[in-house]
Each structure stands twice: as structure tokens, then as C-alpha cells.
Amino acid sequence: MTIRYVIFLFLSLAIFSCQEDKPKRPESVVKTKKPQVKIPTFSGDKAFANIEKQLDFGTRVPGTPTHKACKNWLVDEFKNYGAEVIEQDFKASFLSVKDAESTNIIAQFNPENKERVLLCAHWDSRLIAEKDPEESMRDKPIMGADDGGSGVGVLLEIARLIHENPIDLGIDIVLFDAEDNGLDRQNWCLGSKHWGKNLHKKNYTAEFGILLDMVGAKDAKFPMEEISMRYAQGYLKRVWKLAEKMKADDLFIKKKIPAIEDDHLHVNQLANIPTIDIINAAHEDGTFGAHHHTHDDNIDIISKTTLRKVGQVVTAVIYNHSCGRF
Ligand SMILES: [Zn+2]
């Protein structure tokens, strides 16, 4: 993930032309209220351990052996939690790398249920650390504890909760590959672009989607991002309102920020699923946290409290939605 405010105007034009062609989806499907279900308790400790485990493999740059080893572990974890898993392979070219073996991991819970919600994150880590203060370290791959590891850590914990607390809702957890290895305007979000053009099931759709990107840092702040507002404003406002009710409004702040090209752009435009981005991007100096694309993006900047708060909000969204209360 990188700052791409410079392409805001370009994106806006692309979005407007896209909207002219496509019928607007209803912002919410009226659902019958069912009895309130118990919302399971999200564990910040377990989400943290999920990040440590990913880092134990090493960096997760597409095409490398450590990337492949981590993929196999992720697939096994989802299967252990009862998901039907699809590995969607594709080739990615980025920076100095050509045709790297890459895989979107799609974990389906209750695949027969027609009411579905999409939860997603990217699972790759970055080949370079172009923002590192140490010049000699800038060509080395980063650990990506926050940028990559945190979203995956939270979603794996949600998979565990779904396994232990059955939910009357279809949930698809999609881990996009090759999100974070672009440069300037090119080659970002390769996994979500591939998935959007080659959906894992014919006519696949979901009522709405939530993308988690950099959701684990101690000082995280999640602002209201432009693309999320443009495509899925109703959902964003309901998530932020729920976060306020759950006393997580120190993270989910009401500051509006310009467009960021992240995987949700392609889910919105290619799959036509209204999708918001929960992303740590509200810092004064260049919007992302100081650890972004540096070697400080390691386990030391991760907070179990941040993970617990964001994870508990997303868990509440899906369990409330399953009984018509979101
Ligand atoms: Zn990034």
C-alpha cells in the first residue's frame, strides 16, 4: 500500500465513468430481524500470535520459498477452521521480478448460503523499504507485520471464531496476493485485479465487503477514505457508528481523507461489491504511519489492543448482520 493521492483526479474520473455504466446496487438489503445472537469475543492475543507466525516464515514476497511456506500454512489454518478453500494461482510481475508465482487465498464459510459478506486483506509483504531512513537498507524486503501481517492476523482469528460460533451467514475471507509491490502508479493490487476479472465462482457476489490494511499499529487511526465513501458510504457510516457504540472511536475517527488505491477499489469496480477500507492512514506527515515501508514495520509496532478493538468491531458487524441487526 502506498500513498496515491496524486492519482485522485484520475481515479475520480475513472469512478464516474464506471458508475454511469453500472446500475447502482442498493446500499442495504432489507433483512428480517431474527433474535440477537451472541457476539463472540475476539482475542487480541491470538491475532497477535497469527502475525508472529507469519513473520516466523520470513518475508512474504511473491515467488519466494518463504512466501510459499506461509501460503501453505494459511490454507491449512482455514481448512482446520472448516472453510472450503480455493487457491487462485496467477503470475505477478513487479519491481525487478517477473512472473512470480502468486496466489489469492479464498476461504469460504457456509458456501451454500446465498447471503454473503466479503472480508479481505493482502497477505504479501513488500520487496523493498524505500522509505527507510537507512539508505543502505532500502533495497531489502520488509517484514510487513502491520502492512500485510495485521489484516491476515485479524481475519484468521475471525475464522477461528466462525468455526467455534456457527453463524447464519455466508462469509468469504479473501487474502489477496501481490498487493504491496508496486512503484509509482504501477503494479499495485495485482491480486485483487486478477480476482476481480476472474471471480472464484461464476456470478459471485456479496452484499458488502470490508478490507483490512495496516490495522495493528499502536497509534493506528482509521479515517473515512474517499473510495469507501463513494461506493459504500452507508456501510462505512454503520461500521463507524457501531465502533463508536463499542468505544472504538479512538481508532475509527471521523476525519475524511482523499482516495487511496487499495484492493477495495478493484473489488468495488470489477466485482461491483460495495467495499470499505479500514486503513491506518490519518497521520499528519504523509498520511501513513512512520513505520510504513520501512524496517520498523516489525512486530514491535503491533498492539494487541488495536488488534482486539478492530477485530471486535468487524466480528460484531458480521454477527449482527447475520440476525438482521446491522
Ligand atoms: Zn504497503
Side-chain angles (χ1 to χ4, degrees):
M1 174 46 37
T2 193
I3 308 164
R4 270 152 278 172
Y5 290 179
V6 281
I7 56 166
F8 173 52
L9 186 64
F10 164 78
L11 283 176
S12 299
L13 293 170
I15 289 160
F16 281 128
S17 56
C18 168
Q19 279 190 335
E20 276 168 19
D21 300 340
K22 288 180 181 166
K24 227 178 150 27
R25 286 178 65 100
E27 269 281 284
S28 87
V29 175
V30 179
K31 290 191 65 174
T32 334
K33 264 195 182 180
K34 299 176 204 162
Q36 175 76 58
V37 294
K38 189 175 170 289
I39 297 163
T41 303
F42 183 97
S43 165
D45 287 334
K46 287 197 162 67
F48 186 88
N50 292 336
I51 300 173
E52 283 183 311
K53 179 74 186 178
Q54 293 170 76
L55 269 50
D56 283 348
F57 289 102
T59 56
R60 286 90 60 215
V61 177
T64 60
T66 46
H67 172 265
K68 194 173 177 184
C70 185
K71 176 192 78 174
N72 293 338
W73 173 71
L74 290 168
V75 169
D76 285 349
E77 285 291 285
F78 283 126
K79 284 183 179 167
N80 290 339
Y81 293 139
E84 268 185 32
V85 183
I86 295 173
E87 294 175 53
Q88 183 183 57
D89 297 330
F90 64 101
K91 300 255 197 257
S93 297
F94 51 84
L95 298 166
S96 57
V97 178
K98 238 190 132 32
D99 291 336
E101 305 273 354
S102 308
T103 306
N104 292 325
I105 301 167
I106 299 134
Q108 310 162 91
F109 293 89
N110 304 327
E112 73 296 337
N113 198 322
K114 288 205 161 34
E115 289 179 11
R116 309 202 69 74
V117 169
L118 171 72
L119 304 177
C120 43
H122 75 88
W123 74 275
D124 62 309
S125 63
R126 188 160 173 78
L127 177 62
I128 57 169
E130 77 279 10
K131 286 159 82 176
D132 200 89
E134 189 84 48
E135 217 177 315
S136 63
M137 294 296 284
R138 288 182 190 158
D139 60 351
K140 308 260 187 308
I142 61 168
M143 268 299 172
D146 195 26
D147 199 355
S150 64
V152 174
V154 167
L155 293 181
L156 273 179
E157 168 60 0
I158 290 177
R160 184 188 71 82
L161 294 177
I162 294 171
H163 180 55
E164 292 184 2
N165 306 270
I167 185 168
D168 183 16
L169 182 68
I171 303 281
D172 301 292
I173 296 181
V174 179
L175 302 185
F176 295 118
D177 204 352
E179 186 276 342
D180 207 17
N181 281 289
L183 199 63
D184 301 329
R185 290 184 185 180
Q186 289 188 329
N187 291 343
W188 301 96
C189 304
L190 299 180
S192 53
K193 283 179 195 160
H194 180 83
W195 177 81
K197 290 174 191 156
N198 305 274
L199 295 171
H200 62 279
K201 272 188 176 170
K202 200 167 174 253
N203 300 324
Y204 171 78
T205 193
E207 189 189 323
F208 65 95
I210 298 177
L211 172 66
L212 302 171
D213 195 1
M214 299 189 280
V215 291
K218 283 171 186 150
D219 59 349
K221 299 275 176 228
F222 309 129
M224 297 170 155
E225 179 269 342
E226 165 73 23
I227 292 170
S228 309
M229 290 286 278
R230 191 181 292 271
Y231 282 99
Q233 185 172 158
Y235 291 108
L236 183 137
K237 288 193 168 160
R238 274 143 74 189
V239 171
W240 261 244
K241 205 171 153 192
L242 181 62
E244 191 173 5
K245 220 169 111 189
M246 295 172 69
K247 306 209 179 332
D249 49 340
D250 54 331
L251 297 178
F252 290 77
I253 59 170
K254 288 186 177 143
K255 177 177 175 176
K256 289 183 183 165
I257 60 158
I260 296 174
E261 187 194 345
D262 203 348
D263 289 321
H264 69 315
L265 172 67
H266 308 292
V267 176
N268 276 304
Q269 290 196 334
L270 297 171
N272 201 25
I273 297 169
T275 299
I276 64 166
D277 194 5
I278 299 177
I279 182 165
N280 179 10
H283 298 263
E284 300 306 323
D285 53 343
T287 77
F288 294 129
H291 58 285
H292 180 249
H293 292 187
T294 74
H295 294 289
D296 288 334
D297 188 353
N298 59 45
I299 200 71
D300 298 338
I301 51 108
I302 301 293
S303 151
K304 289 178 182 176
T305 306
T306 303
L307 293 170
R308 178 178 53 75
K309 283 188 159 184
V310 66
Q312 193 63 69
V313 168
V314 177
T315 303
V317 167
I318 60 171
Y319 279 87
N320 281 340
H321 189 61
S322 76
C323 56
R325 287 161 194 270
F326 169 75

